[in-house]
């Protein structure tokens, strides 16, 4: 069996066989202002700036990326998409809170962040606080074919936003690939996943256009079902799910 610190694949040879996770979909439980399309892959806030909290239909598997692309923006509001995980079963909620921050988080067992390249990174115990600084990856690293996050290796091609075909699309695509656009720009792709640790806990990671923002929360209960949380808040009006290929095994170093 692969150790928790070794790169693994969902159901990789040499490890415990796991069925491939089902395609990601939005849960039927969501905020009052959200409309989910019949396919379950697009969530749109139809009025106001709040009541836009959404959940994944199924708990995530370890290393599975719940990936959304920002489809529509709405001018006139202050604030952007929020993303995270919860150990609360959406179906058990008496009512979906108006906001993910602070309302849903205050219910406990929930970890949500506003999307920014400067959100909290949590250093490990005994490590210098410099570890908590936002990562600064050389541009060359952002065009590598795979993104390695702790023990998982994830194909990068689906993680990076794409512009709509047009005269300047080749220039815009390069800006997405180098992650030089604002993280909540239209067509940006944002993902969340968790990585189990040997002590039975998990780290939560947020990915922005193929760049790992580092562990934003530690100590999540890895043995409990963890659902993705997407708050379609304020200037973010609509998001769609992007299916991300399962993790692949890393070559031994």
């Amino acid at each position: 069996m692969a150790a928790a610190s070794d790169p693994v694949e969902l159901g990789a040879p040499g490890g415990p066989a796991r069925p491939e996770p089902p395609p990601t979909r939005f849960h039927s439980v969501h905020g009052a202002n959200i409309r989910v399309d019949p396919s379950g892959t697009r969530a749109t806030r139809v009025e106001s700036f709040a009541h836009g909290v959404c959940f994944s239909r199924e708990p995530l598997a370890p290393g599975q990326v719940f990936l959304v692309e920002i489809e529509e923006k709405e001018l006139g509001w202050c604030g952007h998409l929020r993303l995270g995980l919860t150990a609360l079963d959406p179906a058990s909620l008496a009512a979906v809170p108006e906001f993910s921050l602070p309302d849903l988080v205050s219910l406990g067992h929930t970890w949500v962040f506003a999307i920014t390249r400067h959100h909290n990174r949590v250093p490990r115990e005994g490590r210098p606080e410099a570890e908590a600084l936002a990562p600064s990856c050389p541009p060359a690293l952002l065009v590598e074919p795979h993104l390695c996050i702790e023990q998982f290796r994830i194909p990068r091609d689906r993680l990076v936003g794409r512009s709509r075909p047009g005269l300047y699309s080749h220039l815009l695509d390069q800006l997405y690939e180098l992650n030089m656009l604002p993280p909540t720009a239209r067509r940006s792709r944002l993902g969340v996943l968790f990585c189990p640790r040997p002590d039975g806990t998990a780290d939560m990671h947020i990915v922005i256009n193929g760049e790992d923002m580092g562990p934003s929360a530690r100590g999540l209960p890895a043995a409990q079902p963890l659902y993705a949380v997407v708050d379609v808040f304020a200037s973010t009006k609509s998001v769609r799910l992007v299916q991300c290929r399962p993790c692949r095994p890393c070559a031994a170093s």
Side-chain angles (χ1 to χ4, degrees), residues 5 19 23-24 55 59 66-67 80 101 133 137 141 143 157 170 206 211 218 225 230 233:
S5 58
T24 55
F55 304 94
F66 193 82
L67 184 67
H80 303 280
L101 286 171
L133 296 176
C137 296
L141 295 181
V143 294
D157 56 349
H170 64 294
I206 288 174
E211 183 180 358
R218 299 193 193 276
V230 179
F233 175 70

Side-chain angles (χ1 to χ4, degrees), residues 116-122 129-139 141-142 147-149 156 178-179 205-208 210-216:
T116 164
R117 291 196 182 92
H118 304 289
H119 63 67
N120 295 335
R121 295 185 73 226
V122 185
E129 290 201 13
E131 185 181 287
L133 296 176
S136 179
C137 296
L141 295 181
L142 298 180
L147 174 66
C148 287
I149 302 179
R156 195 189 295 270
L178 298 179
N179 209 4
H205 287 250
I206 288 174
V207 178
I208 299 176
E211 183 180 358
D212 174 28
M213 295 293 103
S216 52

Side-chain angles (χ1 to χ4, degrees), residues 2-232:
S5 58
D6 296 331
V8 298
E9 178 183 18
L10 301 179
R18 290 196 190 111
E20 186 172 314
T24 55
R25 296 288 186 269
F26 286 113
H27 205 288
S28 59
V29 173
H30 48 68
N33 288 336
I34 286 292
R35 300 294 179 268
V36 175
D37 76 345
S39 72
T41 61
R42 180 166 177 164
T44 303
R45 194 187 69 253
V46 295
E47 60 179 288
S48 183
F49 64 94
H51 288 290
V53 176
C54 304
F55 304 94
S56 59
R57 181 183 296 175
E58 305 287 344
L60 301 187
Q64 181 185 14
V65 183
F66 193 82
L67 184 67
V68 299
E69 180 175 284
I70 296 177
E71 283 277 283
E72 292 184 47
K73 305 275 290 184
E74 187 170 54
L75 298 177
W77 303 115
C78 181
H80 303 280
L81 186 87
R82 296 161 173 187
L83 190 62
L85 296 170
T86 183
L88 303 174
D89 183 346
S92 71
L93 296 174
V96 177
E98 182 178 6
F99 303 104
S100 60
L101 286 171
D103 301 3
L104 183 64
V105 171
S106 69
L107 298 179
H109 304 289
T110 301
W111 304 264
V112 174
F113 288 88
I115 291 298
T116 164
R117 291 196 182 92
H118 304 289
H119 63 67
N120 295 335
R121 295 185 73 226
V122 185
R124 297 198 186 280
E125 189 173 344
R127 298 283 184 91
E129 290 201 13
E131 185 181 287
L133 296 176
S136 179
C137 296
L141 295 181
L142 298 180
V143 294
E144 290 294 323
H146 292 88
L147 174 66
C148 287
I149 302 179
E150 298 196 19
Q151 68 268 44
F152 297 105
R153 179 177 173 130
I154 305 163
R156 195 189 295 270
D157 56 349
R158 291 294 187 95
L159 300 177
V160 180
R162 299 284 190 276
S163 64
R164 295 194 184 279
L167 181 61
Y168 299 107
S169 60
H170 64 294
L171 299 176
L172 288 172
D173 283 348
Q174 189 172 44
L175 294 178
Y176 283 115
E177 288 171 2
L178 298 179
N179 209 4
M180 297 177 67
L181 294 174
T184 54
R186 190 166 175 267
R187 311 286 286 179
S188 280
R189 294 185 178 181
L190 313 163
V192 63
L193 70 154
F194 72 92
C195 303
R197 305 294 306 167
D199 62 0
T201 67
D203 295 346
M204 182 180 84
H205 287 250
I206 288 174
V207 178
I208 299 176
N209 285 319
E211 183 180 358
D212 174 28
M213 295 293 103
S216 52
R218 299 193 193 276
L220 280 67
Q224 294 185 30
L226 293 170
Y227 295 82
V229 179
V230 179
D231 192 351
V232 186

